[in-house]
Amino acid sequence: MNGMASDHNTSSQEEYLPHYLQKEDPFASKLSREADIVAGFYLTVIGILSTLGNGYVIFMSSKRKKKLRPAEIMTVNLAVCDLGISVVGKPFSIISFFSHRWVFGWMGCRWYGWAGFFFGCGSLITMTAVSLDRYLKICHLSYGTWLKRHHAFICLAIIWAYATFWATVPFAGVGSYAPEPFGTSCTLDWWLAQASVAGQAFILSILFFCLLFPTAVIVFSYVKIILKVKSSTKEVAHYDTRIQNSHILEMKLTKVAMLICAGFLIAWIPYAVVSVWSAFGQPDSVPIQFSVVPTLLAKSAAMYNPIIYQVIDCKFACCRSGGLKTLEKKSSLKKSR
């Protein structure tokens, strides 16, 4: 009986082998050469636009670094994370797509997976901090007034430590990084959840602390902000011009933060859904050709933020110039009277 039980346990453990442990080459592309070339060109365009856009944001911010508000310091950190993804990660995947296989071996795979997770986690935690800053500034003025620049730098240190911890935990033996099913990219080893209870605990911890909890904080913050703005719009109209201008600037920063968070989540949620299904769903039930689409969409997230900055800045400049013209007209009318 004991022998039969052990045979049964052995067979149940060997029922599922992740794609990278099977006999075939885990780094060989499972896509057609034409699809790899298209993906390579797509990532090249995304990488160039992201590098130029985020580099421009960092350069322009460095010219007025002593005047940056805490929320703006956070958005600069977000640009640093996006630039890191573009410069450190994109070349690996672009070369591999054009080569029709992952050409950097297991060491390069683990480095690429670590870098992607590190900068991605840093981006999400930065947006979480920005949403909390906006929440305190708008919904709790008594707390928001004491948030100064040095608090922002302390927050940056916590963000980088948090991202470093969770990205490095897999190297401690509780997790790993592995090639994607389509072969030309690497990611967190989601398939560990299919192998053991310890793997499931690791993946659940990653999901909670690096996705669900930050997303819940972001959603809570902006829902409270929207409700507060609806109830306080009439109150602000009775204040003097200086307070109104300060309120307009705070709302501009809030709009930027909301759009950035929305763009990030829209880009990453499909990838998160596919990853969770790979971890806890039916093994290998996600078609390889389908799994590459959310991956490419997630890699485009770093390109959106500079566009959002410019659109909001242009709109804010137009509104501000329009408001100045209106004030000038009112003052001239008062003088003529």
Side-chain angles (χ1 to χ4, degrees), residues 127 257-267:
M127 286 185 284
M258 290 178 70
L259 288 173
I260 288 171
C261 291
F264 184 90
L265 294 176
I266 289 171

Side-chain angles (χ1 to χ4, degrees), residues 94-321:
I94 290 171
I95 293 172
S96 295
F97 272 114
F98 281 127
S99 301
H100 197 50
R101 66 173 286 110
W102 180 263
V103 296
F104 301 100
W106 276 104
M107 186 65 72
C109 181
R110 294 187 179 99
W111 159 251
Y112 177 85
W114 181 91
F117 189 31
F118 172 72
F119 288 115
C121 182
S123 295
L124 184 57
I125 303 304
T126 300
M127 286 185 284
T128 305
V130 170
S131 69
L132 285 174
D133 173 75
R134 298 293 84 211
Y135 171 71
L136 293 174
K137 285 279 188 181
I138 294 173
C139 298
H140 298 281
L141 295 178
S142 59
Y143 291 97
T145 51
W146 63 262
L147 287 171
K148 305 300 181 184
R149 284 169 56 92
H150 67 275
H151 295 116
F153 290 115
I154 293 172
C155 190
L156 290 185
I158 295 173
I159 289 169
W160 288 109
Y162 192 93
T164 301
F165 173 78
W166 285 108
T168 311
V169 160
F171 293 130
V174 296
S176 184
Y177 294 99
E180 299 266 17
F182 51 87
T184 47
S185 181
C186 292
T187 185
L188 191 71
D189 191 350
W190 300 98
W191 302 271
L192 284 174
Q194 299 280 356
S196 65
V197 175
Q200 292 177 0
F202 167 72
I203 296 299
L204 287 173
S205 300
I206 290 289
L207 286 172
F208 179 79
F209 288 105
C210 300
L211 179 63
L212 297 179
F213 178 69
T215 303
V217 173
I218 291 170
V219 172
F220 168 81
S221 299
Y222 290 125
V223 168
K224 298 292 286 186
I225 287 171
I226 292 170
L227 295 176
K228 181 67 175 179
V229 168
K230 284 185 177 181
S231 64
S232 63
T233 303
K234 294 180 180 179
E235 297 176 9
V236 176
H238 298 293
Y239 295 144
D240 59 32
T241 305
R242 184 176 63 83
I243 295 177
Q244 289 184 16
N245 289 339
S246 177
H247 178 75
I248 290 172
L249 180 57
E250 293 296 340
M251 291 310 302
K252 173 217 170 184
L253 294 173
T254 303
K255 288 178 181 178
V256 170
M258 290 178 70
L259 288 173
I260 288 171
C261 291
F264 184 90
L265 294 176
I266 289 171
W268 278 97
I269 282 177
Y271 179 78
V273 170
V274 171
S275 299
V276 171
W277 183 258
S278 299
F280 298 102
Q282 194 68 22
D284 299 329
S285 60
V286 179
I288 292 176
Q289 291 75 12
F290 177 77
S291 67
V292 71
V293 176
T295 303
L296 295 178
L297 179 62
K299 292 179 187 298
S300 69
M303 181 187 68
Y304 304 147
N305 297 340
I307 299 173
I308 294 171
Y309 300 147
Q310 295 305 311
V311 170
I312 296 293
D313 277 341
C314 291
K315 184 177 178 181
F316 180 67
C318 292
C319 293
R320 184 170 54 184
S321 62

